[in-house]
Amino acid sequence: MTAEKPNPAELDLTDVQWISASGGGGNCVMLAKQGEFILVGDSKNPDRLPHVYTLDEARAWIQGAKEGVFDPLLCP
């Protein structure tokens, strides 16, 4: 059973170790693991609260990206 997602405003992000993924041009997405959750933040707006995903949600998202499920979203 997965714990209820925390309110991002209540997270202590002081010691979070972010991983930055860049597509170039300064368009970085920051990811971090905190407990049972994956945090997704925006490097251009570090003061904004991160989105919070369960590990299962993050796995589904990453698997979908690997399989090209979201590729149509990138087409003009």
Side-chain angles (χ1 to χ4, degrees), residues 3 9 12 16 18 23 35-36 38-39 41-42 46 49-50 52-53 58 76:
D12 178 6
V16 171
W18 293 99
E36 298 180 40
I38 300 297
L39 311 178
D42 178 358
L49 295 173
V52 179
Y53 297 94

Side-chain angles (χ1 to χ4, degrees), residues 34-60:
Q34 189 174 59
E36 298 180 40
F37 303 101
I38 300 297
L39 311 178
V40 180
D42 178 358
S43 66
K44 287 185 179 179
N45 299 290
D47 293 334
R48 287 189 184 168
L49 295 173
H51 294 279
V52 179
Y53 297 94
T54 65
L55 294 178
D56 286 340
E57 288 171 330
R59 280 187 195 99

Side-chain angles (χ1 to χ4, degrees), residues 19 21 73 75:
I19 298 170
L73 299 173
C75 297

Side-chain angles (χ1 to χ4, degrees), residues 56-73:
D56 286 340
E57 288 171 330
R59 280 187 195 99
W61 176 46
I62 291 169
Q63 188 62 40
K66 287 180 179 180
E67 293 174 0
V69 171
F70 309 118
D71 289 357
L73 299 173

